[in-house]
Amino acid sequence: MKNACEIWKDQLLEAALTGSLTAGLEEHLRTCTICSEELGNIRARKARLDTLLPFVAQRSEPSANFRAQVLAAARAAREGKRARPWRVWRLAGATAVVVVVLMMGLTLQRRTARMIPENELAAAQKLTEWRAPSDGLLVTPGQEILRTMPRLGESYLDVPVKTDEEE
Ligand SMILES: [Zn+2]
């Protein structure tokens, strides 16, 4: 087909399919062998398709119970849609809650399990090192006496005895 014949393409198809020619195309076909051949080709293809189509359609025809299957599937899908969504979502929600709770519990448990010994260790260490701020005030001469056992003849209270001379 020449470039000049492009404009007749649609009309050629139309002519082949409907069997009727427009005046312009009829005139062009008289002078253009290419378009005449093209029209013949298209007509032949159409005829071939026309004979094949029934077979194609027949072969692709659904099985006898296809309609029943489709209807049953549609009904099941409709019923399932009606009944399932909330159930599915509730299930999903419950599952999500359970998972979250479990995860939180595990995390907490792991955290406390890891934290308690540290806390206890720190507290114990603090206790061993801890001294009251007033400890310094408790240092008295008597402390030395309390640490040591008094020897025979010695007194706990090593208080100088006042004599009359000193008075
Ligand atoms: Zn032409």
Side-chain angles (χ1 to χ4, degrees):
M1 200 187 273
K2 287 183 285 185
N3 281 345
C5 298
E6 282 285 312
I7 53 162
W8 300 108
K9 210 175 154 185
D10 288 340
Q11 286 192 45
L12 275 174
L13 273 170
E14 193 74 17
L17 291 171
T18 60
S20 62
L21 296 169
T22 59
L25 181 62
E26 207 171 353
E27 201 184 317
H28 175 72
L29 286 174
R30 245 179 263 141
T31 57
C32 183
T33 51
I34 299 166
C35 284
S36 296
E37 273 177 34
E38 187 69 16
L39 181 62
N41 288 339
I42 296 169
R43 273 179 176 158
R45 256 163 74 185
K46 181 190 176 287
R48 210 159 61 232
L49 276 173
D50 281 350
T51 55
L52 282 172
L53 263 172
F55 292 107
V56 173
Q58 206 169 29
R59 200 188 296 165
S60 67
E61 201 171 279
S63 57
N65 62 340
F66 180 77
R67 192 181 125 88
Q69 282 177 354
V70 168
L71 283 174
R75 210 176 297 130
R78 201 165 54 231
E79 279 169 9
K81 232 180 237 170
R82 207 185 299 143
R84 238 171 266 155
W86 66 269
R87 205 191 301 162
V88 166
W89 281 114
R90 206 175 61 164
L91 246 173
T95 309
V97 166
V98 167
V99 167
V100 166
V101 167
L102 275 173
M103 279 172 70
M104 277 170 66
L106 279 175
T107 313
L108 275 171
Q109 201 178 30
R110 208 176 300 154
R111 197 183 297 164
T112 47
R114 201 176 56 231
M115 273 175 77
I116 282 173
E118 279 175 12
N119 289 350
E120 278 177 358
L121 260 172
Q125 195 148 9
K126 249 183 205 167
L127 271 174
T128 58
E129 290 168 359
W130 186 84
R131 270 177 191 199
S134 58
D135 263 9
L137 300 172
L138 293 172
V139 179
T140 56
Q143 259 185 343
E144 201 58 41
I145 298 164
L146 291 171
R147 265 193 216 127
T148 55
M149 285 291 284
R151 285 186 201 151
L152 199 67
E154 272 181 356
S155 168
Y156 275 110
L157 301 165
D158 191 17
V159 181
V161 181
K162 284 178 187 175
T163 57
D164 294 338
E165 291 152 41
E166 280 174 299
E167 256 180 355

